[in-house]
């Protein structure tokens, strides 16, 4: 091996060690749901919800900072829940939250199926591809952590480049763009979209995973908190910039074209076609397909960890129980075509509404539990939250609860009436 090649390999390895966990976490939220929710927000509300993207990224960072500190100084979040609330209630919470992960997967494998169907010219319907994608995700998820981490880094950096390159020549109005970063009074419909952005960015499974996986990184003492925060800052910067770019493209290109909502799986790609030409549709569909598949594994790791922990078992990715739960629960994804038909939901409906479900039901529960944990003297000792951290962290809890309360009615109407 040449000196240059060896040096390059060492740089990549060092980068993965420093920032890999954040990319795994951010890859879990930056899937097809983020692409379509950000596109829908841009089409329906222009630049008005850019502030929500920034806020969601900051709140996600704050929540995972709490989770990392909990894992470093105390224990994992679900172990804390079991110790404080008892095994029966902890199991109930774990199972309820896991339903949200399964819902996410149903939408994600549908997105993969729709993407592959387009790329093959419609030669294969999305439904059988969704089944195949489910099985492929099971295989990838059973790899060791290091391999998955490196894969996520490569995928996320590639997606960032694609979407930012598209946003730059989109012709966005600078004045309107700047105003979009200022929170303003919005309609109830915009609040539902804001809840969706929050639910797909401040991803509650990551609150549990971060507190577990810090040990994989060797972060076990106070001095490691700086490394964890640097890791999170890098990951959320990449995810946040990419999400902002998607919303800008939708608002600057699709909205002037007369779109008021996403009519099909291909609608966001038309913005790329307008900027780059017809070949860009293939780029868009390929990117969304990769992003969707990218998200399945870390999202479904969460129930495979938290269900055993709620029951009183410590597991890692090499344990048989972990593998059985991961494979079994992820395998429910093969029912995606059935759910689509039963609820009369399109692929786009599923990839937008199922993250909303998690933002409305899962996120408030997880944020309240996490806030409790980092304030528990018995668990955190001298490292529990102080007044300043509580003032900042309380924003996440309040925003999650308020948005959930304001948007639950509209969400139920959407999910029971065939989507958008």
């Amino acid at each position: 091996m040449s000196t240059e090649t060896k040096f390059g390999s060492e740089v990549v390895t060092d980068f993965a060690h420093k920032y890999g966990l954040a990319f795994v976490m951010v890859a879990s939220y930056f899937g097809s749901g983020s692409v379509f929710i950000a596109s829908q927000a841009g089409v329906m509300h222009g630049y008005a919800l850019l502030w929500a993207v920034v806020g969601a990224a900051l709140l996600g960072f704050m929540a995972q900072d709490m989770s990392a500190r909990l894992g470093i100084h105390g224990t994992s979040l679900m172990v804390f829940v079991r110790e404080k609330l008892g095994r029966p209630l902890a199991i109930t919470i774990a199972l309820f939250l896991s339903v949200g992960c399964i819902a996410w997967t149903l939408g994600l494998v549908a997105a993969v199926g729709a993407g592959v169907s387009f790329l093959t010219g419609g030669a294969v319907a999305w439904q059988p591809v969704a089944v195949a994608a489910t099985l492929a995700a099971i295989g990838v998820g059973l790899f060791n952590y290091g391999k998955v981490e490196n894969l996520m880094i490569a995928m996320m950096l590639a997606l960032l480049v694609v979407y930012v390159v598209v946003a730059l020549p989109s012709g966005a109005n600078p004045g309107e763009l700047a105003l979009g970063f200022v929170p303003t009074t919005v309609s109830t419909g915009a609040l539902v979209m804001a809840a969706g952005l929050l639910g797909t960015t401040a991803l509650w499974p990551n609150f549990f995973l971060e507190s577990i996986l810090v040990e994989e990184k060797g972060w076990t003492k106070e001095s490691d908190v700086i490394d964890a925060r640097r890791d999170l800052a890098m990951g959320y910067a990449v995810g946040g910039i990419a999400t902002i770019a998607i919303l800008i493209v939708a608002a600057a290109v699709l909205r002037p074209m007369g779109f008021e909502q996403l009519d099909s799986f291909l609608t966001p790609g038309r913005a790329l076609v307008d900027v780059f030409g017809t070949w860009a549709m293939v780029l868009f569909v390929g990117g969304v397909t990769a992003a969707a598949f990218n998200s399945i594994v870390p999202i479904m790791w969460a129930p495979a960890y938290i269900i055993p922990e709620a029951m009183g078992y410590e597991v890692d990715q090499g344990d048989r129980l972990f593998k059985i739960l991961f494979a079994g629960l992820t395998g429910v994804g093969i029912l995606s075509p059935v759910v689509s038909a039963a609820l009369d939901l399109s692929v786009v409906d599923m990839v937008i509404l199922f993250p909303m479900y998690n933002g409305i039901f899962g996120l408030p529960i997880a944020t309240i539990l996490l806030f409790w944990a980092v304030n528990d003297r018995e668990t955190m000792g001298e490292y529990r939250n102080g007044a300043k951290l509580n003032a900042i962290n309380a924003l996440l809890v309040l925003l999650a609860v308020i948005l959930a309360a304001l948007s639950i009615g509209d969400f139920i109407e959407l999910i029971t009436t065939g989507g958008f």
Side-chain angles (χ1 to χ4, degrees):
M1 180 183 291
S2 67
T3 302
E4 291 81 3
T5 303
K6 184 177 180 180
F7 176 76
S9 176
E10 289 175 350
V11 169
V12 172
T13 301
D14 184 60
F15 183 86
H17 177 72
K18 285 184 177 179
Y19 304 115
L21 179 55
F23 278 89
V24 171
M25 299 293 100
V26 174
S28 65
Y29 90 67
F30 193 79
S32 55
S34 291
V35 174
F36 283 95
I37 288 174
S39 296
Q40 186 85 316
V43 167
M44 295 179 68
H45 306 289
Y47 308 110
L49 290 177
L50 282 170
W51 64 269
V53 178
V54 176
L58 290 174
L59 292 170
F61 172 89
M62 287 190 289
Q64 284 189 237
D65 174 66
M66 285 192 282
S67 179
R69 289 188 291 110
L70 176 63
I72 291 170
H73 297 306
T75 185
S76 70
L77 181 54
M78 184 50 71
V79 169
F80 169 82
V81 173
R82 187 190 73 230
E83 290 175 348
K84 295 297 181 181
L85 300 179
R87 187 177 300 179
L89 187 51
I91 292 172
T92 301
I93 292 172
L95 292 175
F96 177 77
L97 292 175
S98 295
V99 170
C101 292
I102 294 170
W104 248 314
T105 297
L106 291 168
L108 291 169
V109 296
V112 174
V116 173
S117 178
F118 171 81
L119 294 173
T120 58
V124 181
W126 74 263
Q127 291 88 345
V129 179
V131 174
T134 301
L135 300 177
I138 292 172
V140 172
L142 294 178
F143 284 163
N144 66 53
Y145 173 81
K147 290 181 179 179
V148 174
E149 185 176 81
N150 291 335
L151 176 64
M152 297 303 174
I153 291 173
M155 298 283 276
M156 279 302 305
L157 289 177
L159 289 168
L160 172 67
V161 170
V162 168
Y163 290 116
V164 170
V165 165
V166 174
L168 290 175
S170 63
N173 183 292
E176 293 179 5
L177 198 64
L179 288 175
F181 289 100
V182 180
T184 55
T185 302
V186 294
S187 65
T188 303
L191 284 175
V192 174
M193 293 307 304
L197 287 166
L198 182 61
T200 195
T201 304
L203 206 72
W204 71 257
N206 291 350
F207 304 172
F208 290 89
L209 287 176
E210 184 85 20
S211 66
I212 296 168
L213 294 179
V214 286
E215 189 174 351
E216 292 274 357
K217 305 296 292 184
W219 294 335
T220 57
K221 54 188 184 296
E222 172 63 16
S223 60
D224 294 326
V225 172
I226 295 175
D227 291 330
R229 286 174 174 165
R230 186 186 301 119
D231 178 72
L232 288 170
M234 171 66 77
Y236 273 97
V238 170
I241 292 170
T243 305
I244 287 171
I246 294 167
L247 192 152
I248 290 173
V249 169
V253 180
L254 291 177
R255 191 173 169 89
M257 290 170 65
F259 288 99
E260 296 180 354
Q261 63 180 32
L262 302 186
D263 297 324
S264 75
F265 184 77
L266 302 178
T267 301
R270 296 185 184 181
L272 281 75
V273 172
D274 191 67
V275 176
F276 290 118
T278 55
W279 66 270
M281 181 64 80
V282 175
L283 180 68
F284 165 75
V285 174
V288 170
T289 303
F293 188 82
N294 215 21
S295 298
I296 298 169
V297 173
I299 284 175
M300 291 311 298
W301 272 351
Y305 273 116
I306 67 174
I307 292 174
E309 287 189 340
M311 297 169 65
Y313 300 109
E314 296 285 337
V315 296
D316 60 39
Q317 292 172 23
D319 290 341
R320 184 179 181 185
L321 178 57
F322 178 93
K323 292 179 177 180
I324 290 173
L325 282 170
F326 176 81
L329 294 176
T330 305
V332 178
I334 65 174
L335 298 177
S336 181
V338 177
V339 173
S340 173
L343 296 178
D344 191 28
L345 297 175
S346 68
V347 172
V348 173
D349 289 332
M350 288 196 290
V351 297
I352 293 178
L353 289 174
F354 291 160
M356 285 184 180
Y357 169 89
N358 281 280
I360 292 169
F361 296 102
L363 185 61
I365 294 173
T367 53
I368 290 170
L369 293 173
L370 184 58
F371 190 70
W372 178 20
V374 293
N375 279 283
D376 184 68
R377 186 185 300 274
E378 182 181 358
T379 302
M380 296 293 289
E382 63 179 299
Y383 300 107
R384 71 193 180 105
N385 267 16
K388 290 182 179 179
L389 274 176
N390 270 337
I392 296 170
N393 294 161
L395 289 174
L396 173 62
V397 180
L398 290 173
L399 185 57
V401 172
I402 291 171
L403 278 177
L406 291 175
S407 56
I408 188 170
D410 284 349
F411 169 80
I412 292 173
E413 181 180 352
L414 286 169
I415 201 76
T416 56
T417 57
F420 291 96

